[in-house]
Amino acid sequence: MSKSKSGNAFDFKLFKRLLKFTNPYKLTFVYVVFAAIALSIVGLVRPYLLKLIIDDAITPKDHSYLVELISWMLAALIAEVIFQLSFIYYANWLGQEVIRDIRIQLFRRMMSFKKKYFDTSAIGRLVTRAVGDIETIASIFSQGLFMIMSDILKMGAILIFLFYQSWELTLIVLALFPLIIIATRIFQRKMKGAFEIVRNQVANLNSFVQERITGMKIVQIFNREEKEFEDFKEINKEHRKGWIKTVWYNSIYFAFVEMITSITIGLLIWYGGIRIIGSEVLSIGLIIMFIEYAQQLFRPLRQIADKFNSLQMGMVAANRVFSILDTSSFIKNEGKRIAKNIEGKLSFEDVVFGYNADETVIKGINFKVNPGETIAIVGATGAGKSTIINLLSRFYEINSGRITVDGVDIKEYELASLRKEISVVLQDVFLFADSILNNITLQKKEISREEVVLAAQEIGVAEFIETLPGSYDYNVKERGAMLSSGQRQLIAFLRAYVNKPSILVLDEATSSIDSYSEQLIQKATEKITKGRTSIVIAHRLATIKNADKIIVMEAGKIVEEGKHDELLKKASGHYKNLYEAQFKEEELAN
């Protein structure tokens, strides 16, 4: 997609792409165009009827003809109201249908992106694109495109009719017209650049506010309120400056157009008055009609500029939204094999991976897991333990090597079916602002309430859930704020368990929870890993000792493998050093 530049008044390629979204609504589109044409025609009638009333009814004092002309004027007014009403309604309806389709396409696209995309993209900006920018696109149809089309048609019809009535008066009307066209062109260019600034500052503002509200606990703990407030005022100031620039351009432009309109009307009265006094070739009704048409001619031009603002804001927003739709940062889902009833045999073969091109995190690791086995992965922070979870679930693509499930490369599996067979309990548990039941089932219809209750009893977490107000219907609020970290962890275990995965991956984060929750989590871990292929990033000695195999990682490499007792026998071994530094005190305490 060609990217529009701030200096360009309009991007036709972008506009053409946007219009493709109206294809499912062709009948509505055609009617709105028809209504726009009808409005331009009906708008011509009233000033002409006014001329007839003055010249042919009032001046000769023809009462019956006056009543007839007023009746026609009333009919024209009713027709204009009907067309105006239907035009506004269906133009807005079309805009809402289009942005609904774009928003659906955008959200579907965003859900397919790699985790790396979200690692490097501000969430506030993405929210702005999916909500604010898409709403702005609707103004292209409701206030921009069709309104401009209607105004241009009206202006063209007025000019043709005026030349037919009096070419001399028409030339007076057009004498200063080029000045308005030049001013409008300059105005459009300036406003496009100003709106680019505004949209950037809106995105910055959204991103800043969302991050600070989400991290308010950290802000308050470290006494950052004043500093963050000052930063917010600075961003808000830049946002205000962007809008003030648009207000300044509007003030200059509309004052200039109003001045030109007034001068034109003055010239019409001056020239028309001299002609009437001198020879009476022109009539008073004709002069009044020209004044009315001159105002109708200049008023749409002012409105076109205003509506062009809406059109340009919509185009800027569309450009931003389409830039996300054109992003190719997603995992290729070219696998044809459906992962179903897999045994759980895993193999990492010379796997190399780096989050960035110049930094390798996983450096050629090899290990195998037999069906039903539990392996524990230990190592210092940054050793690459959590990265293994991300690679197995294909949240990131490996640089080289091969990962297989039941002897089949994971790239050959259809992505959704592969992830359905793998349940992951992460260290940072995310819960939605919804009931406990919906957070466990994720609203999957195939998982019943009875299954959830039974599963909770099996892994020993039913008691804590049933003590909450509303039990399984208890709303945990945003990110599970109404629960402790241990309780959130238990919900995550239950969520993994009810999905009946063939492969289970646990980031067993129990370092910051109370001893009671830790006991429940330990019991839940033993239950859900039993007879199921499991990879556990271990933080507690009990999990490590019970594992069928322990993998020790350091700086992205596997440095040792074996059982707990075997690894302890290695003098100056990596695991032995880690055990003595981290786990020995825990074992003695037990």
Side-chain angles (χ1 to χ4, degrees):
M1 184 187 75
S2 68
K3 297 191 177 182
S4 55
K5 300 175 183 177
S6 296
N8 294 339
F10 199 74
D11 187 335
F12 284 98
K13 187 176 287 188
L14 180 65
F15 185 67
K16 184 179 178 181
R17 180 177 180 182
L18 189 62
L19 280 183
K20 288 182 180 178
F21 284 91
T22 65
N23 287 342
Y25 315 105
K26 285 182 179 177
L27 285 177
T28 304
F29 184 89
V30 169
Y31 176 77
V32 173
V33 172
F34 166 75
I37 296 171
L39 278 172
S40 66
I41 295 172
V42 173
L44 287 174
V45 175
R46 285 188 293 113
Y48 181 67
L49 288 173
L50 183 61
K51 171 188 176 297
L52 295 179
I53 288 171
I54 294 171
D55 290 343
D56 299 343
I58 294 177
T59 302
K61 299 180 181 180
D62 189 338
H63 182 267
S64 61
Y65 192 40
L66 176 63
V67 172
E68 181 183 344
L69 289 173
I70 289 174
S71 300
W72 279 110
M73 184 172 280
L74 181 62
L77 181 62
I78 293 172
E80 190 171 4
V81 169
I82 292 172
F83 281 120
Q84 188 75 27
L85 177 66
S86 60
F87 172 77
I88 292 173
Y89 175 80
Y90 284 109
N92 279 275
W93 182 90
L94 182 63
Q96 291 301 317
E97 291 296 310
V98 167
I99 66 169
R100 180 197 63 183
D101 295 345
I102 295 176
R103 185 179 280 122
I104 289 171
Q105 192 175 123
L106 177 67
F107 191 70
R108 185 185 297 277
R109 187 72 168 180
M110 287 167 62
M111 287 195 297
S112 70
F113 287 157
K114 299 177 184 177
K115 276 191 68 178
K116 185 176 181 180
Y117 180 85
F118 298 103
D119 294 341
T120 56
S121 299
I123 301 303
R125 287 181 178 273
L126 295 178
V127 172
T128 301
R129 301 294 176 265
V131 181
D133 281 340
I134 286 186
E135 285 296 334
T136 305
I137 292 173
S139 65
I140 292 177
F141 300 94
S142 61
Q143 301 172 38
L145 171 65
F146 298 114
M147 292 287 191
I148 291 172
M149 182 190 304
S150 176
D151 288 342
I152 290 174
L153 288 171
K154 182 182 289 186
M155 290 167 64
I158 287 172
L159 283 174
I160 292 171
F161 186 72
L162 289 183
F163 268 113
Y164 175 75
Q165 290 292 313
S166 171
W167 65 269
E168 295 167 296
L169 292 178
T170 304
L171 289 178
I172 292 175
V173 171
L174 293 179
L176 300 178
F177 204 70
L179 292 178
I180 296 181
I181 294 175
I182 293 170
T184 302
R185 184 67 174 169
I186 295 171
F187 176 71
Q188 290 167 357
R189 289 178 178 274
K190 294 292 185 182
M191 288 300 288
K192 184 174 177 66
F195 283 137
E196 283 279 9
I197 295 171
V198 168
R199 296 312 302 172
N200 276 330
Q201 293 306 323
V202 167
N204 289 339
L205 200 60
N206 285 346
S207 182
F208 183 90
V209 171
Q210 180 166 344
E211 280 190 347
R212 270 58 186 182
I213 291 176
T214 304
M216 187 57 69
K217 186 175 181 180
I218 299 298
V219 170
Q220 294 177 345
I221 286 174
F222 290 94
N223 197 28
R224 292 272 303 175
E225 293 93 336
E226 286 300 319
K227 180 63 172 66
E228 298 299 341
F229 181 63
E230 291 302 319
D231 290 345
F232 173 79
K233 286 201 298 184
E234 190 61 32
I235 294 174
N236 201 32
K237 181 181 176 182
E238 292 300 316
H239 177 255
R240 174 184 168 277
K241 282 169 62 178
W243 272 113
I244 290 297
K245 188 174 286 189
T246 68
V247 172
W248 172 243
Y249 292 147
N250 272 298
S251 302
I252 295 174
Y253 174 76
F254 288 111
F256 179 78
V257 173
E258 194 64 39
M259 180 184 69
I260 296 297
T261 304
S262 299
I263 292 172
T264 301
I265 292 173
L267 289 173
L268 282 172
I269 294 173
W270 170 74
Y271 180 78
I274 290 175
R275 291 291 303 276
I276 292 172
I277 293 170
S279 62
E280 296 189 357
V281 174
L282 301 179
S283 67
I284 295 175
L286 185 67
I287 300 300
I288 292 175
M289 183 189 76
F290 263 81
I291 291 172
E292 284 286 315
Y293 278 132
Q295 289 178 325
Q296 283 197 22
L297 192 64
F298 289 128
R299 189 184 305 122
L301 195 59
R302 293 199 302 269
Q303 291 172 348
I304 283 174
D306 195 28
K307 290 161 189 172
F308 207 91
N309 294 347
S310 299
L311 183 61
Q312 286 189 318
M313 284 192 75
M315 294 295 287
V316 169
N319 192 42
R320 295 177 183 279
V321 170
F322 287 150
S323 69
I324 297 179
L325 288 174
D326 292 337
T327 300
S328 59
S329 180
F330 56 88
I331 300 293
K332 292 182 180 179
N333 187 17
E334 298 174 347
K336 304 298 182 184
R337 189 187 291 260
I338 302 298
K340 191 175 182 181
N341 300 322
I342 61 178
E343 295 179 5
K345 182 180 179 182
L346 305 180
S347 177
F348 277 61
E349 303 169 10
D350 296 319
V351 173
V352 176
F353 170 76
Y355 292 102
N356 301 308
D358 56 347
E359 183 181 356
T360 304
V361 177
I362 300 296
K363 304 170 182 177
I365 64 172
N366 292 274
F367 69 87
K368 293 182 179 180
V369 186
N370 294 319
E373 278 188 343
T374 296
I375 66 164
I377 304 177
V378 299
T381 301
K385 305 185 298 295
S386 296
T387 301
I388 289 176
I389 296 174
N390 292 325
L391 298 182
L392 178 61
S393 300
R394 288 198 72 198
F395 293 133
Y396 298 89
E397 293 282 31
I398 61 176
N399 296 357
S400 63
R402 192 166 174 255
I403 302 174
T404 66
V405 174
D406 287 358
V408 179
D409 193 315
I410 58 174
K411 293 180 181 179
E412 296 181 23
Y413 286 113
E414 196 276 325
L415 190 58
S417 70
L418 173 68
R419 289 178 178 171
K420 189 176 181 180
E421 293 295 317
I422 303 172
S423 278
V424 180
V425 179
L426 295 171
Q427 183 172 350
D428 182 20
V429 177
F430 185 92
L431 298 180
F432 295 95
D434 205 336
S435 67
I436 285 180
L437 180 66
N438 286 339
N439 269 290
I440 293 168
T441 64
L442 297 178
Q443 299 188 349
K444 292 181 179 178
K445 294 181 180 179
E446 62 268 25
I447 303 176
S448 67
R449 186 186 186 95
E450 291 71 25
E451 286 182 83
V452 173
V453 173
L454 181 61
Q457 293 169 350
E458 288 177 355
I459 67 172
V461 301
E463 184 179 348
F464 113 76
I465 295 176
E466 290 167 1
T467 60
L468 297 171
S471 186
Y472 291 89
D473 297 315
Y474 180 66
N475 192 311
V476 301
K477 304 301 179 183
E478 189 174 359
R479 298 184 69 90
M482 302 304 291
L483 302 177
S484 69
S485 58
Q487 290 172 331
R488 291 196 295 271
Q489 197 76 28
L490 290 168
I491 296 300
F493 272 77
L494 185 53
R495 180 161 61 192
Y497 186 57
V498 297
N499 277 279
K500 299 180 175 64
S502 301
I503 300 169
L504 186 67
V505 183
L506 303 178
D507 191 346
E508 189 200 4
T510 57
S511 57
S512 60
I513 63 176
D514 59 88
S515 57
Y516 175 70
S517 295
E518 184 182 341
Q519 290 173 7
L520 290 178
I521 288 175
Q522 191 60 50
K523 180 182 177 182
T525 301
E526 293 172 3
K527 180 68 177 178
I528 66 178
T529 57
K530 187 176 181 180
R532 181 179 282 117
T533 302
S534 305
I535 299 176
V536 182
I537 296 178
H539 296 265
R540 290 299 184 193
L541 181 63
T543 304
I544 299 170
K545 290 175 69 174
N546 295 332
D548 296 302
K549 181 167 59 177
I550 299 169
I551 292 176
V552 185
M553 294 191 67
E554 185 175 305
K557 295 181 179 179
I558 295 176
V559 291
E560 286 180 346
E561 283 186 59
K563 289 183 174 291
H564 173 71
D565 294 334
E566 296 171 356
L567 294 174
L568 282 181
K569 293 175 183 178
K570 293 184 178 181
S572 301
H574 289 83
Y575 180 75
K576 185 176 182 179
N577 293 335
L578 185 66
Y579 167 77
E580 290 178 348
Q582 186 173 340
F583 301 123
K584 189 173 184 178
E585 185 177 334
E586 181 185 338
E587 186 173 39
L588 291 173
N590 294 331

